[in-house]
Amino acid sequence: MPSRRHVLLLGTGGLIAVTGPTLAQPLACTPGIAATERQTEGPFFRGGSPLRVNLAGQLRGERVNLDGVVMARACQPVRGAIVDIWHADSAGDYDNRGYELRGHQITDERGAWRFETIAPGRYPGRTPHYHVKVTPPGGRTLTTQLYFPGDPDNARDGLYKPSLQMRAVKAAAVVTARFDFIVEA
Ligand SMILES: [Fe+2]
């Protein structure tokens, strides 16, 4: 997790140096906060993904360490939630036969989850995105998608929502991205 005050934010066409808070700060949560917006699952979800942190192995692509927490609308961390992620490779293709770039985690007592993966590539009509399903214990699954800040294709993608944008910084060739989910737990 970057700890410098000066960090690099992903921006249009490259990186923008900024001064400000780092990604170590969790989302400010006010009890009663709205749940994370739902989005379409899309055509490429596969059940039965492996429990693992590293989704990319030796695959080519920009390294991304993605993490966050799952919280209930009353702001308590949700332990034992399943966070299942799937995304395109750097060429914009999904693995629809196996489980490349697919996996899940189970949140710990802080509601925390994390993955080591790569940046998703573009495919026609879509800006880069991660697909995710978050299932709290005994609760309804939240299906949604996460987006990168400052991507020039965001504005051309009808599904893109600013509220589903990750916070992202790049340091030493690795992007650290964070998103905190709010669920109806
Ligand atoms: Fe997709």
Side-chain angles (χ1 to χ4, degrees):
M1 193 71 72
S3 58
R4 295 178 300 164
R5 294 291 293 170
H6 294 265
V7 296
L8 295 171
L9 276 187
L10 285 174
T12 304
L15 295 167
I16 305 164
V18 299
T19 301
T22 69
L23 296 185
Q25 295 177 336
L27 177 74
C29 191
T30 304
I33 189 171
T36 302
E37 283 191 74
R38 297 174 185 277
Q39 291 215 298
T40 178
E41 173 178 299
F44 302 121
F45 174 69
R46 279 169 62 83
S49 76
L51 172 65
R52 61 181 175 185
V53 168
N54 189 317
L55 307 184
Q58 300 303 309
L59 282 181
R60 203 157 46 89
E62 183 165 43
R63 289 1 253 184
V64 178
N65 290 332
L66 175 59
D67 70 13
V69 297
V70 178
M71 285 186 291
R73 292 186 57 213
C75 297
Q76 319 97 313
V78 178
R79 179 183 192 166
I82 299 166
V83 179
D84 196 337
I85 188 172
W86 69 103
H87 67 94
D89 65 15
S90 56
D93 296 320
Y94 287 82
D95 178 8
N96 294 314
R97 295 185 176 172
Y99 287 94
E100 200 170 86
L101 302 176
R102 299 172 184 271
H104 72 272
Q105 284 286 291
I106 298 173
T107 55
D108 65 14
E109 66 283 356
R110 296 173 300 122
W113 56 273
R114 75 182 184 93
F115 294 103
E116 298 168 3
T117 189
I118 57 172
R122 288 158 217 278
Y123 58 93
R126 297 303 318 275
T127 196
H129 58 279
Y130 293 117
H131 292 271
V132 63
K133 286 179 178 284
V134 179
T135 307
R140 181 183 172 200
T141 296
L142 163 72
T143 301
T144 193
Q145 302 185 29
L146 303 180
Y147 301 94
F148 287 86
D151 193 287
D153 283 342
N154 286 346
R156 291 189 283 270
D157 185 331
L159 283 174
Y160 165 78
K161 290 254 172 84
S163 63
L164 295 172
Q165 193 167 273
M166 299 172 285
R167 288 175 283 162
V169 299
K170 185 169 182 175
V174 177
V175 175
T176 299
R178 175 163 191 150
F179 193 87
D180 296 327
F181 296 101
I182 308 293
V183 294
E184 308 270 3

